[in-house]
Amino acid sequence: MQPYKINPEPWQKGMAKNITFIVTKDCQLACKYCYLVGKNEKERMTWEVAKAAIDYILEYEADFKEESVIWDFIGGEPFLEIELIDKICDYLKTEMYRRNHHWFNSYRFSFSTNGINYDSEKVQKFIKKNKSHLSIGITIDGTQKKHDLNRIWKGVGDKRGSYTDVVRNIPLWLSQFPNAGTKVTISSADIPYIKESVLHLYSLGIHEVNINVVFEDVWKDGDDILFEQQLTELADAIIDGGWYQEYACSFFSETIGKPLNPENDNQNWCGAGKMLAIDAAGNFYPCTRFAAYSLRSKQPIIIGNIQSGIDKDKLRPFLTLDRTTQSPRECIECEVASGCAWCQGENYDAADTPTIFQRSTAICKMHKSRVRANNYYWNKLFRKLELLGERNEFESNKPSVKNNEPC
């Protein structure tokens, strides 16, 4: 028997394969901006489907060459299926070890949860068992006003917000994952609450705020102006209040708002096609955004299943995706193009035809507003640091957003 393959580098060092189990399409909440338009209580993954998917993936090790793997669990709300997830994770650990798989010591279990049942006995037992290989983010949108505007309980006529049900678990979460970040979503209705919401999250002890506007075409006239105003006020508050020393917000980045470099900036923004998602029926998708419950107007794109495996002919178009193959000329030539994100699933859903090669430009004006506020932020911050003689120290120790995902 060959010696066991122990990856000498931390798993983050190599590109990790992201494999997602859609364990349920149910959720306690009915968030107004949620792109999962087909959530329901019936489609729940069974152990038989999960096991078959794992057996296929681990058996065809040569097709998954990435050094590391992220086993991702989503819903709906994934922790509604904590017993199934616990069984899946136990099986993954034992099978990766038994097979002497190159991932067996280089993996993470990843969750994005609404946080409502985070403190339950079963979830806490699972966390204790897998702590060293866990990444868990709790979604809290900011102040109670902003959070409860969109993140409401499911139920006919039920408009109750979920803020109090989530915020009570933030101290426990941060005690277990002190470096964890949260995801915040911005839609048209909650633009006025951006500044106070980011500062509120900082005050709760959350040091990393990943924040994005929705990719759907929901933006109204004047939203970009109000957006820039909120970000500029947030920049003032962060800099004047000294928050920049230990806290990060993904809206402010030194790398965005520049012309494209043809040699370095032609990659696809997201990992659709390089990721793999499995649903309750055992179907494989290039990303969860191509499953039926994520799509408003298009048919799902299935690239295989647990019986027949991955159809590489259906996967191949996704591997040819880059910025050039899907962007209009105005995006390529835009003076502030760097950092302008897109979602491959939204591109497909919003396209004129069933194609993955038509980029949606719904957030164009919002990106340009962000760039203007971002320039204001860094100009003001660097002037302050230079006056204080702290520029070099800040550059060496500045906090950063480690998980700025667009979806």
Side-chain angles (χ1 to χ4, degrees):
M1 186 175 183
Q2 295 295 317
Y4 275 94
K5 305 166 187 173
I6 298 178
N7 190 339
E9 299 291 336
W11 75 278
Q12 296 96 330
K13 289 286 186 180
M15 185 185 74
K17 183 74 175 183
N18 190 295
I19 299 175
T20 300
F21 293 89
I22 306 172
V23 292
T24 180
K25 294 181 180 177
D26 191 15
C27 185
Q28 306 100 318
L29 304 183
C31 301
K32 296 177 185 178
Y33 52 55
C34 185
Y35 63 83
L36 300 175
V37 295
K39 288 189 291 189
N40 64 82
E41 298 177 4
K42 297 178 181 179
E43 295 181 77
R44 299 167 56 191
M45 183 173 285
T46 64
W47 163 244
E48 290 73 23
V49 166
K51 180 180 182 299
I54 294 166
D55 288 342
Y56 169 78
I57 292 166
L58 297 184
E59 179 67 24
Y60 288 87
E61 182 176 2
D63 290 341
F64 300 90
K65 299 183 184 297
E66 292 84 355
E67 295 177 19
S68 307
V69 63
I70 298 172
W71 302 103
D72 189 29
F73 299 90
I74 70 165
E77 167 51 42
F79 282 148
L80 289 175
E81 295 294 329
I82 186 58
E83 291 180 351
L84 173 64
I85 290 170
D86 188 37
K87 192 171 184 178
I88 289 172
C89 292
D90 282 351
Y91 187 68
L92 281 168
K93 289 181 289 187
T94 56
E95 279 298 290
M96 287 190 293
Y97 181 83
R98 185 183 70 81
R99 294 170 183 262
N100 193 18
H101 196 284
H102 71 280
W103 286 340
F104 99 90
N105 196 41
S106 190
Y107 67 91
R108 283 290 184 272
F109 298 136
S110 177
F111 300 83
S112 181
T113 172
N114 61 32
I116 290 172
N117 63 341
Y118 183 85
D119 62 341
S120 69
E121 182 180 352
K122 291 179 180 178
V123 171
Q124 285 300 305
K125 184 178 179 180
F126 172 82
I127 290 172
K128 184 177 181 180
K129 182 196 295 186
N130 297 285
K131 180 71 161 52
S132 62
H133 286 278
L134 277 183
S135 173
I136 300 179
I138 291 181
T139 299
I140 180 167
D141 257 2
T143 62
Q144 183 165 6
K145 178 181 284 188
K146 181 189 175 335
H147 184 98
D148 286 351
L149 186 66
N150 284 306
R151 302 188 66 80
I152 59 175
W153 280 88
K154 177 182 69 175
V156 177
D158 193 348
K159 302 299 182 183
R160 288 180 300 134
S162 59
Y163 175 87
T164 56
D165 305 285
V166 177
V167 75
R168 66 183 177 83
N169 284 325
I170 297 301
L172 173 61
W173 170 56
L174 291 177
S175 71
Q176 295 169 330
F177 303 97
N179 297 319
T182 191
K183 278 187 177 181
V184 177
T185 300
I186 304 298
S187 61
S188 179
D190 50 38
I191 293 174
Y193 312 113
I194 293 174
K195 170 194 166 184
E196 62 185 36
S197 289
V198 173
L199 296 178
H200 177 67
L201 295 173
Y202 288 169
S203 73
L204 293 178
I206 300 172
H207 285 243
E208 180 182 320
V209 176
N210 296 279
I211 186 166
N212 293 294
V213 300
V214 297
F215 290 98
E216 290 77 17
D217 189 7
V218 300
W219 305 106
K220 302 173 184 176
D221 289 342
D223 278 353
D224 55 328
I225 304 303
L226 182 57
F227 184 53
E228 182 180 351
Q229 178 184 339
Q230 276 290 301
L231 292 190
T232 302
E233 291 179 6
L234 175 60
D236 285 336
I238 290 175
I239 295 169
D240 295 343
W243 294 101
Y244 62 88
Q245 298 175 62
E246 296 183 11
Y247 295 79
C249 174
S250 63
F251 271 148
F252 302 122
S253 168
E254 291 181 88
T255 64
I256 73 165
K258 301 176 177 63
L260 296 177
N261 181 333
E263 296 181 1
N264 300 322
D265 293 330
N266 196 38
Q267 67 273 16
N268 195 23
W269 182 267
C270 81
K274 297 178 181 178
M275 302 183 286
L276 182 67
I278 309 109
D279 71 1
N283 291 319
F284 291 152
Y285 302 89
C287 167
T288 59
R289 290 296 296 258
F290 290 90
Y293 83 141
S294 299
L295 298 168
R296 303 180 303 276
S297 60
K298 297 291 195 301
Q299 292 298 307
I301 295 182
I302 298 172
I303 59 169
N305 56 63
I306 55 176
Q307 285 81 33
S308 60
I310 295 173
D311 185 332
K312 293 183 180 179
D313 287 333
K314 292 181 179 179
L315 180 61
R316 190 169 289 115
F318 288 89
L319 304 182
T320 68
L321 284 165
D322 56 28
R323 187 183 294 268
T324 302
T325 57
Q326 59 191 303
S327 299
R329 177 56 52 187
E330 62 180 318
C331 293
I332 301 297
E333 297 177 350
C334 178
E335 294 184 353
V336 295
S338 65
C340 186
W342 61 86
C343 167
Q344 208 65 56
E346 175 58 22
N347 286 355
Y348 169 66
D349 209 12
D352 299 326
T353 62
T355 179
I356 60 173
F357 294 99
Q358 181 179 330
R359 178 175 166 186
S360 170
T361 57
I363 68 166
C364 176
K365 65 180 183 179
M366 304 302 286
H367 171 70
K368 290 176 179 177
S369 292
R370 177 195 174 194
V371 168
R372 292 192 293 271
N374 184 68
N375 291 340
Y376 173 85
Y377 175 89
W378 291 105
N379 285 334
K380 176 170 181 171
L381 178 58
F382 286 147
R383 284 198 303 270
K384 176 178 179 177
L385 292 171
E386 286 166 1
L387 285 172
L388 296 175
E390 297 175 353
R391 174 78 179 265
N392 291 337
E393 181 181 354
F394 174 78
E395 292 286 3
S396 301
N397 300 292
K398 61 186 173 185
S400 61
V401 174
K402 302 182 288 298
N403 186 32
N404 184 21
E405 299 174 357
C407 323

